[in-house]
Amino acid sequence: MIYSLHNEAYSFASAGDKQVPWWSFTKTVIATLTLKCVEQGKIELDSKLKGKPYTYRQLLQHTSGLTDYAMLREYHQAVTNGQSPWPCDEMLAKVQVDDLLFNPGEGWRYSNIGYLFLKQQIEQCYDAPFAEVLDTLFKSVDISNSALIESSAEFDKLNVSNQSYDPRWCYHGVIAGSVHDAAKFLHLLMSGQLISKPMLNRMLTPYKLNFDVGQRPWKSPAVGLGVMLNCEPELKTSGHTGQGPQSCFAAYHFEQINPITITVFEQTHSQAVVEDKAVELAKAFTGR
C-alpha cells in the first residue's frame, strides 16, 4: 500500500511512492479543466452540448441520463481477452448512446461516457490533444511525475498488475502519476488555487445519493461536479475513488480540525480498502 498526506504545512509520502494509475480520479482532473473552460468563457455550465439534450453540469454530475459501456458484458469480455479497444464510434453504437436511461436532470447514473464527452470538449476548447492540455496544467502547478497513459506498454511499465491492460479501454483516459502528485493536485484544487472559490463552491454543491454504499466508510454520500462527497458533519470529505484491473486508488480532502488531503493506492479489488485507509490516516492526523 502506498499513501500520501498533504496540506500547506505538512507533506508526506510513504516509502515506494511511484507512478500508479489514478483511475477515476482522472474524472476530478477532467472536471477541473471543464470548470476552467467555464471560467474562461469558452462554455457555459448550464448550456447543452451541441445537438444533445444534456448540459455540461449534468455530465459532470452524472445526471445526464447517459448509459455506460461498463454495463456491457461484451465490453468486459473484450478487456479480459486482451482485445484492442473499440473505436469510439463503435463503442457508442454498441451502447446505443442516444437511448437515455432517463430524462436529463431526472435521475442519477454513473457514466464514464459523460466524461469522454467532457474530455472531447476540453480538446475543442484548448485546440489541443487532452494529453497536451494535462501537461500544461500539471506544469503550471509544478507537478512533473504525472501524465496521461495511452498504451498497454505504458500501463505495463507501472508494474501494478500481473495482467496487461490497454488504458484506452477507459475512454475518458487514465492519468498515471505519483500518489504524492495526486494529493498535491487535490489539495490545490480544494484550497481554491486551480479554480476560483465561487467555482469551487459550485463544484462542491452536493447532489445527495439515496442508496447504501455497503461496507465503504461513507454514510451520507453525494456527488458534486467531478467529485464524490460525504456530507456527515464528523466526516466531511471531497475527492474520488477509482478502480481498474487489480488495483484501487482513493484521493480525498478531509475538512476537519486539521484539514488534510490524503491519497491511497493498493493492489486490491475492494474500493473500501483504500477508502478505509484514507479515513484512518485522516483521523490519526487530527490527533497530531
Side-chain angles (χ1 to χ4, degrees):
M1 182 176 286
I2 306 170
Y3 56 86
S4 179
L5 296 84
H6 185 81
N7 65 16
E8 289 80 1
Y10 180 81
S11 191
F12 170 82
S14 63
D17 190 12
K18 63 174 187 174
Q19 276 198 321
V20 300
W22 290 1
W23 298 125
S24 278
F25 181 58
T26 300
K27 290 183 174 71
T28 301
V29 182
I30 291 172
T32 302
L33 286 165
T34 302
L35 295 178
K36 287 176 76 70
C37 288
V38 174
E39 288 189 318
Q40 295 162 4
K42 298 176 185 292
I43 58 174
E44 295 182 6
L45 191 58
D46 291 310
S47 64
K48 294 179 180 177
L49 276 70
K50 186 177 181 180
K52 301 298 181 182
Y54 34 76
T55 67
Y56 294 99
R57 184 193 300 273
Q58 289 165 342
L59 291 177
L60 288 163
Q61 199 177 53
H62 300 290
T63 57
S64 65
L66 283 168
T67 185
D68 192 58
Y69 50 80
M71 297 172 65
L72 295 178
R73 179 179 298 178
E74 181 184 1
Y75 169 83
H76 294 284
Q77 290 175 337
V79 173
T80 300
N81 293 338
Q83 297 177 20
S84 296
W86 305 322
C88 187
D89 288 345
E90 181 179 343
M91 179 275 291
L92 294 176
K94 287 178 181 291
V95 300
Q96 299 177 310
V97 69
D98 291 327
D99 293 343
L100 300 183
L101 301 175
F102 48 82
N103 293 327
E106 296 183 6
W108 188 86
R109 178 76 190 202
Y110 192 89
S111 177
N112 290 290
I113 293 173
Y115 277 77
L116 163 65
F117 291 163
L118 291 168
K119 181 192 80 170
Q120 292 172 337
Q121 183 61 56
I122 290 165
E123 292 178 323
Q124 292 179 34
C125 286
Y126 288 98
D127 192 25
F130 184 53
E132 289 185 16
V133 179
L134 280 177
D135 186 54
T136 300
L137 173 65
F138 288 153
K139 283 181 178 178
S140 72
V141 291
D142 196 28
I143 287 176
S144 58
N145 195 30
S146 301
L148 192 72
I149 54 172
E150 302 180 88
S151 70
S152 54
E154 288 179 301
F155 177 83
D156 294 346
K157 285 181 181 178
L158 302 177
N159 194 28
V160 295
S161 172
N162 59 21
Q163 298 176 354
S164 184
Y165 173 75
D166 192 325
R168 293 175 300 166
W169 277 115
C170 183
Y171 284 86
H172 62 60
V174 176
I175 296 170
S178 72
V179 176
H180 179 259
D181 275 358
K184 179 179 178 180
F185 180 89
L186 183 57
H187 197 80
L188 289 170
L189 175 62
M190 292 299 145
S191 58
Q193 297 183 61
L194 297 182
I195 55 177
S196 67
K197 288 291 181 68
M199 188 61 73
L200 180 61
N201 289 337
R202 297 169 82 178
M203 185 184 214
L204 298 179
T205 299
Y207 179 95
K208 295 291 185 68
L209 301 178
N210 297 313
F211 55 77
D212 186 0
V213 296
Q215 298 302 309
R216 298 166 72 178
W218 322 124
K219 305 305 179 188
S220 185
V223 295
L225 305 181
V227 288
M228 296 176 172
L229 308 172
N230 191 58
C231 300
E232 294 175 89
E234 64 274 18
L235 186 62
K236 193 173 182 181
T237 64
S238 50
H240 216 293
T241 304
Q243 182 172 1
Q246 299 186 357
S247 66
C248 292
F249 186 84
Y252 285 93
H253 178 73
F254 292 80
E255 297 182 35
Q256 54 188 31
I257 295 173
N258 292 327
I260 189 71
T261 303
I262 297 173
T263 48
V264 182
F265 174 84
E266 176 66 305
Q267 291 178 257
T268 177
H269 296 288
S270 171
Q271 295 184 26
V273 168
V274 288
E275 292 172 343
D276 286 342
K277 182 64 175 180
V279 171
E280 173 192 324
L281 291 168
K283 290 180 177 178
F285 189 80
T286 301
R288 287 175 55 89

